[in-house]
Amino acid sequence: MRQPTQWATKGLLKSAFILGPLSSMVDILTFAILWFGFGLQTSAQQGAFQASWFVVGLLTQMLVVYVLRTPASPFKDRANWRVYLGSLISLLIGGILVLTPLRQAVDFQATPTQFGWIAVVLVTAYLLVTNVVKNLTR
């Protein structure tokens, strides 16, 4: 893209009314899985709960940008390499915070081993539904 394009506001309000609750549903589902599924309910387990929540939040917030930034598929209309680099650095910092002993600096604990797959499924489903909603509201 050599010059800025006109920001299309058609469907913006409709998108917000759908995507906002969709994001909240992912949050509620994540909470329920951590609370009821993994039993992370005590103050001694709050670090694992918070670290797991952080992972899902970071992934959804970082990756949804790629879905919403273009009317095309995020795989067909690629962002500038600087955008990818910024995202990669942010994800690496987040990963280091969760996966290394540095997690103690922010009171995180190790996430449940099985939660990784659940996070992948949650984030992937959220991104796919967001892409469908984006295309329906344009």
Side-chain angles (χ1 to χ4, degrees):
M1 175 184 299
R2 300 246 181 251
Q3 63 184 15
T5 58
Q6 179 79 22
W7 190 30
T9 58
K10 179 184 177 203
L12 183 63
L13 193 58
K14 191 183 338 178
S15 293
F17 279 122
I18 297 171
L19 294 178
L22 175 62
S23 178
S24 295
M25 285 173 36
V26 171
D27 288 340
I28 292 166
L29 190 54
T30 301
F31 184 96
I33 289 168
L34 293 172
W35 189 266
F36 298 109
F38 289 102
L40 301 178
Q41 302 173 3
T42 68
S43 59
Q45 299 166 314
Q46 76 181 18
F49 186 101
Q50 292 168 348
S52 302
W53 187 280
F54 175 79
V55 167
V56 172
L58 180 63
L59 289 172
T60 56
Q61 292 172 33
M62 191 64 58
L63 298 176
V64 77
V65 170
Y66 294 99
V67 173
L68 296 176
R69 62 169 282 282
T70 176
S73 164
F75 300 107
K76 291 181 182 175
D77 185 2
R78 301 198 180 237
N80 183 287
W81 68 269
R82 292 171 189 89
V83 176
Y84 290 121
L85 180 62
S87 296
L88 182 61
I89 290 169
S90 298
L91 291 171
L92 284 173
I93 291 169
I96 289 169
L97 278 176
V98 171
L99 298 173
T100 69
L102 283 175
R103 68 178 162 244
Q104 295 167 350
V106 290
D107 294 328
F108 283 168
Q109 296 169 355
T111 60
T113 307
Q114 304 85 355
F115 184 72
W117 294 108
I118 292 170
V120 167
V121 170
L122 278 172
V123 171
T124 301
Y126 171 66
L127 296 174
L128 290 172
V129 172
T130 298
N131 196 53
V132 169
V133 169
K134 172 190 77 174
N135 291 327
L136 291 174
T137 57
R138 288 200 184 261

